[in-house]
Amino acid sequence: MRDRNTRLDATVRGRDHQTTEGGVRAILSSNTMKRGSTGIGGGGIYFATSPEQTQHKAHSKGFIFRCRVRLGNVDHWPAHRIDKNITFRKLSSRKFDSVHIPRPGGHEYVVYNSDQVELVEVCRVNSNGSVGPWRPVQDLDEESPSLESFLNDKKSEPEAQYWIS
């Protein structure tokens, strides 16, 4: 376990994940991202390298989480590779902790365990595709009025700042 944590902590990057309002509620209620069941890199938690890239990649849209992702030892795949049967166990047996897939429209990173993801901020994707303003996750308790206010604020002005890693 110590070896895995050492590997994970060696490569921490800022990454973005887009989801729906229901996804925001589920993630905030557990304070955890859980892996999905399908994808080109199997059932994992998928990230893009910028908010804009999540627009091309996400199946569920509306809100973007900005996260610190512990990538560890990354298995770099060619753009054309698809392995829907990859699992954490298979990946870790080869001493990898995550997958990187360079795809048209941007790079994808896949992790397979929630302990690799730290939630930092969340924002709404506005109707014109702009994002913002960003809100610290710690300020959005699932039962607080601030969460409902954030989720219902469709008039948010876009922010011009983006996270660069």
Side-chain angles (χ1 to χ4, degrees):
M1 184 67 162
R2 189 179 345 192
D3 289 342
R4 179 175 179 267
N5 280 324
T6 301
R7 282 194 324 266
L8 291 177
D9 290 341
T11 310
V12 179
R13 298 286 185 268
R15 297 291 180 250
D16 299 299
H17 175 89
Q18 190 162 169
T19 189
T20 62
E21 180 178 325
V24 168
R25 289 181 186 278
I27 291 166
L28 291 176
S29 71
S30 65
N31 200 32
T32 303
M33 278 194 180
K34 295 186 170 89
R35 67 178 165 246
S37 58
T38 63
I40 64 171
I45 307 168
Y46 286 73
F47 293 93
T49 57
S50 72
E52 298 81 14
Q53 288 180 8
T54 67
Q55 289 290 85
H56 304 290
K57 299 180 176 309
H59 297 277
S60 302
K61 297 183 179 185
F63 294 85
I64 299 173
F65 276 96
R66 178 173 285 168
C67 303
R68 283 188 193 92
V69 182
R70 299 167 69 206
L71 297 170
N73 193 14
V74 181
D75 189 3
H76 296 278
W77 292 6
H80 63 275
R81 180 173 176 186
I82 295 174
D83 184 350
K84 295 182 178 189
N85 297 312
I86 193 75
T87 63
F88 171 71
R89 183 162 290 166
K90 289 177 184 177
L91 197 63
S92 64
S93 72
R94 297 188 346 251
K95 303 288 189 230
F96 289 109
D97 304 295
S98 61
V99 170
H100 166 240
I101 311 166
R103 303 280 293 172
H107 297 259
E108 289 187 55
Y109 288 84
V110 189
V111 299
Y112 298 86
N113 280 301
S114 59
D115 71 343
Q116 292 176 253
V117 181
E118 177 189 350
L119 305 171
V120 178
E121 296 178 301
V122 63
C123 74
R124 171 182 295 283
V125 177
N126 298 298
S127 58
N128 65 1
S130 63
V131 298
W134 291 95
R135 297 284 305 270
V137 168
Q138 66 194 28
D139 293 350
L140 299 172
D141 179 277
E142 69 170 316
E143 296 179 15
S144 75
S146 61
L147 175 59
E148 290 307 315
S149 173
F150 168 71
L151 292 174
N152 294 317
D153 182 14
K154 294 183 169 59
K155 298 176 187 161
S156 298
E157 290 298 318
E159 263 185 16
Q161 100 184 8
Y162 297 99
W163 195 19
I164 299 175
S165 61

